[in-house]
Amino acid sequence: MFSQSLATSTIFHGVHPEEVSAFVNQHIGGHSLDMLGGDNRAASLSFGEFAGFGLSKISYGNSVRVKTPALDDIYHLQVVTRGECRWRQGNESLKVHRGQALMVNPDEAIDLEYTQECEKVIIKIPVGLMKSVCSSGASAGVQPVRFNRIPVDMRLSPSLTNLLAAVFSEFDESGDTGFGPISLSYREIVLKKLLNVFPNDWSASDNAQPIPPSMERIVAYIEKNIKEDIDLEALAHVSNMSVRSIYNGFSRAFSTTPKSYVKLVKLRNLRNDLLQGHCRNVTEVALDYGFSHLGRFSSDYRKLFGELPSETMRLVG
């Protein structure tokens, strides 16, 4: 999970934890660092900015304790990608293991311990960006959303995992802060996905909007031509919308990108064919739906359905 995140943006590698701590204080969030054992020069940090987010990957390479009185007008999405960390709040203690994530609220004190092998991906999200999504159709003074301190297993939300991986990949490919129309669409999708995945005190029910006719035409076209190679130009022609409007439409209606939506529909229809016994083997049906890279197809299928396509076939064998 995110094993290659920020591959082009390594700031430190094999340094003392205090060097990483100094950078974190300046760019990610003010804190104090206490060494709990050892004094290894094994800390590393990668950092970049994309569409208003701060993206970082941190490993102190030592057992350490990090404390901060509160974040300053920002949220943190913290994903443990290796090892574990222990969160403390008063007399309560909470372990967050590899593959789990937490949303940290603004003005929320942080007191946590990293194991020596712990590595985390942290996404810094300004309060204003989160409020812009939550306050659609509401007053500008709406209170910031509050997330519950409940770890979420990212393996149970493959769509969010894949979306964040796409954000990091987009950053690594562009190498810049990314404020074009596509990157800004990613930003809105990520924020909406976080609101859907992590328990919080905000409800989107009052902001729900019906799918516009133009998007209904796109959805119908995708369903009808799902075995074809569907590109943005075809969707633009069918809907009489610009590419940017299509990205925005998918973001508002489905909290995803057009490409991810098409792949999801392909995989769901393909699974239905397998369950209905409409194909002789996995390779045949995968190629029929346009999945030419069979290894990647099997991986995407397993992330979505929790089993390999061959295992699905055995259910009806």
Side-chain angles (χ1 to χ4, degrees):
M1 181 188 298
F2 306 118
S3 59
Q4 303 300 318
S5 297
L6 304 178
T8 62
S9 303
T10 299
I11 307 295
F12 298 109
H13 182 71
V15 301
H16 193 276
E18 290 179 354
E19 294 185 59
V20 168
S21 177
F23 186 92
V24 171
N25 267 318
Q26 184 176 0
H27 297 280
I28 300 173
H31 71 281
S32 64
L33 179 74
D34 296 325
M35 305 293 294
L36 300 181
D39 199 25
N40 301 319
R41 299 184 65 85
S44 62
L45 180 142
S46 300
F47 179 81
E49 295 181 336
F50 182 80
F53 297 142
L55 312 176
S56 57
K57 182 169 67 172
I58 300 173
S59 174
Y60 287 104
N62 291 262
S63 296
V64 300
R65 187 172 185 178
V66 174
K67 293 188 289 185
T68 181
L71 300 175
D72 183 19
D73 293 328
I74 56 174
Y75 295 89
H76 271 185
L77 167 62
Q78 301 202 1
V79 185
V80 176
T81 55
R82 192 171 66 230
E84 68 177 38
C85 69
R86 181 190 296 271
W87 289 75
R88 301 179 186 275
Q89 189 173 37
N91 295 325
E92 297 182 4
S93 179
L94 175 69
K95 282 188 177 181
V96 185
H97 303 280
R98 178 180 180 272
Q100 293 184 317
L102 275 176
M103 284 293 297
V104 185
N105 297 301
D107 303 321
E108 188 169 80
I110 295 176
D111 183 352
L112 59 91
E113 294 180 11
Y114 285 71
T115 59
Q116 181 175 339
E117 67 276 12
C118 182
E119 177 187 81
K120 294 169 91 173
V121 166
I122 299 176
I123 300 181
K124 184 176 71 172
I125 305 167
V127 168
L129 296 185
M130 190 67 73
K131 287 180 68 174
S132 69
V133 173
C134 295
S135 62
S136 177
S139 64
V142 65
Q143 292 297 312
V145 61
R146 303 293 297 181
F147 290 91
N148 299 342
R149 184 167 289 199
I150 299 175
V152 168
D153 191 329
M154 297 290 284
R155 291 166 293 188
L156 301 180
S157 184
S159 59
L160 175 59
T161 301
N162 294 339
L163 176 59
L164 294 178
V167 168
F168 282 107
S169 176
E170 191 76 27
F171 171 81
D172 281 332
E173 290 178 6
S174 64
D176 58 30
T177 57
F179 278 94
I182 294 178
S183 60
L184 293 180
S185 294
Y186 269 116
R187 182 172 76 186
E188 184 175 356
I189 295 168
V190 168
L191 294 173
K192 289 182 177 180
K193 206 69 174 178
L194 294 178
L195 288 167
N196 288 332
V197 170
F198 289 85
N200 59 79
D201 62 2
W202 179 80
S203 172
S205 58
D206 293 337
N207 296 319
Q209 299 291 330
I211 299 177
S214 55
M215 289 300 298
E216 289 182 348
R217 289 196 294 272
I218 288 179
V219 169
Y221 177 86
I222 291 172
E223 293 287 351
K224 184 178 180 180
N225 299 276
I226 195 58
K227 291 187 177 181
E228 305 299 326
D229 184 14
I230 300 173
D231 55 28
L232 284 171
E233 287 71 21
L235 300 183
H237 177 74
V238 168
S239 62
N240 196 28
M241 297 167 64
S242 67
V243 169
R244 179 173 182 175
S245 295
I246 291 174
Y247 269 93
N248 290 337
F250 272 91
S251 173
R252 287 191 296 267
F254 306 113
S255 296
T256 191
T257 62
K259 182 178 180 180
S260 295
Y261 181 87
V262 170
K263 183 167 74 171
L264 177 63
V265 176
K266 282 179 177 288
L267 288 171
R268 285 178 174 171
N269 283 27
L270 184 152
R271 178 178 171 81
N272 186 61
D273 284 356
L274 290 175
L275 291 171
Q276 296 296 322
H278 292 167
C279 46
R280 291 179 295 180
N281 56 66
V282 171
T283 299
E284 178 185 88
V285 71
L287 295 174
D288 200 26
Y289 277 91
F291 294 106
S292 57
H293 193 299
L294 297 181
R296 188 178 301 129
F297 154 70
S298 293
S299 176
D300 289 341
Y301 187 97
R302 186 174 189 176
K303 288 178 182 178
L304 183 60
F305 301 115
E307 62 188 22
L308 292 170
S310 57
E311 295 172 321
T312 303
M313 283 198 73
R314 285 199 290 270
L315 294 176
V316 294

